Amino acid sequence: MTGITPAAGGPELAVLVGRLVAVNVGLPRDVDWRGRIVRTAVWKRSVAGPVMVRAANLEGDRQGDLAGHGGPHRAVLVYQLDSYAHWQAQFSRDDFEDGQFGENFTVDGLPDAEVCIGDQYQIGDALFEVSQPRVTCYRVGLRLSEPQLPALMVSHRRPGFYFRVLREGLVEAGNAIVKVASGAERMSVATIDALLYLPGHDRVDLDRALQIRALSPGWQESFKALLAAGEGSTGNVGLSGPGEGLPAWSGFRQMRVVEVIAETDDVVSVVLTATEGPALPTPKPGQFVALSLDLGDGRPPSVRSYSLSGSPKSSVYRVSVKREPDGTFSRYVHANVHRGTIVHLSAPRGTFVLDGDPDPILLVSAGIGVTPLLSMLHALAEAGTTREVWWLHGARSSAEHVFAGEVESLLAQLSNHHSEICHSAPLPTEERGRDFTHLGRLTADFLVGLPIPTHARAYICGPQVFMDDVRSGLTRFGLDPEQVHTERFGGGVAMTPGIAAGPVVPAHPPLGEPGTGPAVTFARSGLTVPWRQGLTSVLELAEACDVPTRWSCRTGVCHTCEVGLLAGQVTYEPAPVDLPAPGRVLVCCSVPADEVVLDL
């Protein structure tokens, strides 16, 4: 054969291994799905004649969701005729056409069980390298009207894979596929896919996979997370992110209020101790708890999440509650919770926690967002840290500057600290330099004017707009995005890939007649509603209530929808490919078995 020019890194081959059956392209289009508009390019059509392959995609082809598809490591999607035959038999269908699975190349040959990450192939004038398995999402099921397909593609080990383009060139249906180099470690697409998504996560294989330089960066990070989790870890941290460990107790534990402290006119701190049983466990600095109260309105107990604001070493827990004008729960706390009141509390949860690294640390907050960072500051002071600590806080004035004295006392215990206090509307009696250091809001523009070390770790808490602004500013300034952490109050930001954005509305009961099933509480959104028959998942109930959610596959594969299960039990239908850790739940494929409380 002539014209074979493998890239450096593998033994030279020139083996005919398959044929390019069809070249498929498509542009994003709007598709109606469950009453919503999805922007997707999963509908592909085969084209005749030569097509130019570029580094990011084929000419005439685009991706509808660049967060999950496209780019140099996912330039060309490949799927096989043998898998077509498999799914035709599985679904008893004979109506498939080229591009049915959203692939760019329909091929004869190149089975997932034999093609390895790093293998290189020449097709036409172009040279390709296998970079990763396909990441399945709900849109491939949408294209085929088979919603379970994303999970089945993983469990049946037929995901397909992506090519990276090593040399641009023309390709055409009918071209021979010639293997010109073999990837390191000889790990197949099916093996790599199963290593991430299926239970087991063999540590030897994880280490082998990380030796494959051709493997795309996202998959490498997932495998690093699985390795770092250690032996005996539960759940899939390669997909869900760092684990928080097992909660100290399940459900809610009875607590007694031992003190209520007025911090400002609209903030009170509630100090809690257990009424019986073992002493309260030590929380991690920055974690939150869910507080359950009977508001006496004849409804099920209401639940809200609050960060612990006191010292993690204390024998009691402290939460600080700001009275919101329209906040039924917070107003009840201010009016009715006193010393001796009995309440119920979840175990400390959350991964927004202080790390133990020696790097400089930024604690950035606005308003009542100070609470988890105050817990971190307590921990730093009690440990006698020598880390460089930046305390950065914004408030309207001294009247709303909660914990100012406590923070000043803690900072005085640190040997290497900086403090910047921003008041946007100071009182006439305030003095700059005494009560605050900067007149105005705490913004990204203000922060980037400070001599902040670019290798610092940042923890940010406050309103969502504030966090987005500060995070963006710090990353532009040079901080590694992986070292900038945020904690949200309320329902957070939704992730609904491909769905056209709509107006943001507060969480509400679903339209129509109320359900008759067990109560489902969305703790961060402050909503409790009965389960409604006819729904297929907790995710569907959340969507009917406009509770912000995050999801992608909707079939228990990707763990994007994983959240904390604060109380209660769920059942799964279908069963997830890999179960989440205890105390966690995949809302896309679960239904309540009894009353449940979710961190949503």
Side-chain angles (χ1 to χ4, degrees):
M1 290 185 172
T2 61
I4 303 300
T5 54
E12 290 194 9
L13 304 168
V15 180
L16 180 65
V17 293
R19 181 175 60 90
L20 181 57
V21 174
V23 178
N24 312 300
V25 299
L27 298 176
R29 57 190 283 193
D30 291 336
V31 179
D32 182 71
W33 175 72
R34 297 185 177 184
R36 291 178 285 183
I37 299 300
V38 177
R39 187 72 169 169
T40 179
V42 74
W43 269 264
K44 305 291 186 186
R45 59 179 179 81
S46 60
V47 293
V51 177
M52 188 67 185
V53 178
R54 301 295 186 187
N57 47 34
L58 282 68
E59 286 193 352
D61 188 63
R62 295 291 184 273
Q63 293 81 25
D65 173 21
L66 292 177
H69 307 280
H73 304 295
R74 298 174 297 200
V76 179
L77 181 59
V78 180
Y79 212 55
Q80 309 91 348
L81 285 182
D82 182 63
S83 289
Y84 268 70
H86 176 85
W87 298 120
Q88 285 177 318
Q90 175 76 22
F91 297 125
S92 300
R93 293 176 59 169
D94 60 1
D95 59 341
F96 291 173
E97 58 186 24
D98 295 333
Q100 188 83 34
F101 293 82
E103 78 276 8
N104 300 114
F105 288 175
T106 309
V107 299
D108 187 6
L110 304 188
D112 291 337
E114 296 178 13
V115 169
C116 295
I117 304 297
D119 284 355
Q120 295 176 11
Y121 299 91
Q122 180 162 323
I123 307 174
D125 298 328
L127 184 65
F128 303 91
E129 181 176 60
V130 180
S131 57
Q132 66 170 70
R134 175 190 193 141
V135 177
T136 58
C137 74
Y138 76 105
R139 280 162 290 202
V140 67
L142 168 64
R143 172 70 177 86
L144 273 78
S145 300
E146 300 286 355
Q148 300 306 316
L149 185 60
L152 294 174
M153 292 177 84
V154 172
S155 61
H156 288 218
R157 300 200 173 203
R158 293 178 177 271
F161 57 87
Y162 280 105
F163 274 149
R164 178 186 293 113
V165 179
L166 299 181
R167 185 179 65 237
E168 297 180 346
L170 293 171
V171 300
E172 185 175 2
N175 282 158
I177 302 175
V178 178
K179 184 176 182 181
V180 298
S182 295
E185 298 298 327
R186 306 302 302 139
M187 297 187 76
S188 73
V189 168
T191 297
I192 290 291
D193 195 62
L195 188 59
L196 178 59
Y197 287 110
L198 298 181
H201 317 295
D202 182 85
R203 297 182 67 80
V204 173
D205 283 345
L206 288 170
D207 190 64
R208 284 182 60 208
L210 287 171
Q211 307 309 308
I212 307 173
R213 286 185 293 178
L215 183 63
S216 66
W219 283 71
Q220 291 187 32
E221 290 303 314
S222 292
F223 289 153
K224 288 176 183 177
L226 286 167
L227 272 177
E231 297 281 1
S233 63
T234 56
N236 192 328
V237 300
L239 297 172
S240 61
E244 59 188 354
L246 292 175
W249 66 86
S250 60
F252 289 87
R253 186 173 172 183
Q254 184 172 283
M255 301 280 172
R256 177 180 291 108
V257 177
V258 296
E259 192 173 8
V260 177
I261 306 165
E263 307 290 359
T264 65
D265 288 345
D266 62 357
V267 176
V268 297
S269 288
V270 180
V271 183
L272 303 159
T273 189
T275 58
E276 59 184 14
L280 295 178
T282 301
K284 297 177 182 177
Q287 287 191 308
F288 71 90
V289 292
L291 177 64
S292 176
L293 293 174
D294 185 349
L295 304 187
D297 54 6
R299 301 178 183 180
S302 294
V303 180
R304 298 292 187 277
S305 296
Y306 295 102
S307 296
L308 292 168
S309 61
S311 165
K313 290 186 176 181
S314 175
S315 61
V316 295
Y317 287 171
R318 182 178 77 177
V319 297
S320 302
V321 181
K322 180 180 179 181
R323 181 176 53 230
E324 302 291 349
D326 298 322
T328 302
F329 193 94
S330 65
R331 286 190 285 110
Y332 183 92
V333 170
H334 278 249
N336 298 285
V337 173
H338 309 286
R339 180 179 296 182
T341 300
I342 300 298
V343 301
H344 292 83
L345 203 71
S346 76
R349 305 289 291 264
T351 58
F352 182 76
V353 296
L354 183 67
D355 65 80
D357 292 332
D359 293 331
I361 183 170
L362 312 181
L363 302 177
V364 191
S365 59
I368 196 60
V370 69
T371 50
L373 306 187
L374 181 58
S375 175
M376 295 181 185
L377 189 61
H378 270 284
L380 291 166
E382 290 162 358
T385 186
T386 59
R387 295 175 73 173
E388 182 179 357
V389 177
W390 287 74
W391 181 264
L392 306 154
H393 180 69
R396 284 179 53 81
S397 68
S398 294
E400 299 180 22
H401 187 171
V402 65
F403 301 115
E406 187 172 332
V407 167
E408 185 177 357
S409 175
L410 292 170
L411 289 174
Q413 302 174 43
L414 302 179
S415 60
N416 186 11
H417 77 273
H418 311 268
S419 177
E420 294 288 346
I421 305 299
C422 301
H423 284 183
S424 59
L427 302 174
T429 56
E430 291 185 41
E431 293 183 12
R432 186 169 184 169
R434 183 193 67 186
D435 301 296
F436 62 93
T437 60
H438 173 71
L439 175 60
R441 295 181 180 275
L442 176 54
T443 64
D445 289 341
F446 171 70
L447 290 179
V448 298
L450 300 175
I452 293 172
T454 57
H455 62 295
R457 292 178 177 267
Y459 294 84
I460 311 167
C461 189
Q464 189 65 51
V465 172
F466 165 80
M467 291 193 294
D468 291 344
D469 175 58
V470 171
R471 181 183 181 89
S472 174
L474 290 176
T475 53
R476 289 198 315 269
F477 178 68
L479 268 68
D480 184 343
E482 294 298 318
Q483 296 196 173
V484 180
H485 311 281
T486 58
E487 174 68 313
R488 58 187 171 88
F489 288 152
V493 178
M495 190 184 85
T496 55
I499 302 295
V504 177
V505 298
H508 57 83
L511 300 177
E513 290 295 318
T516 59
V520 178
T521 295
F522 303 106
R524 289 188 185 258
S525 299
L527 180 67
T528 299
V529 295
W531 175 252
R532 177 182 290 179
Q533 298 301 319
L535 296 174
T536 63
S537 69
V538 174
L539 173 59
E540 287 190 0
L541 178 61
E543 291 173 329
C545 298
D546 283 311
V547 169
T549 54
R550 299 173 62 84
W551 52 265
S552 181
C553 73
R554 302 183 72 97
T555 57
V557 177
C558 69
H559 287 241
T560 303
C561 72
E562 183 175 325
V563 299
L565 178 63
L566 305 182
Q569 301 291 327
V570 300
T571 58
Y572 285 108
E573 181 57 44
V577 173
D578 193 8
L579 284 169
R584 309 284 294 175
V585 63
L586 302 181
V587 297
C588 77
C589 56
S590 61
V591 298
D594 55 18
E595 294 185 357
V596 297
V597 180
L598 302 164
D599 184 31
L600 270 175

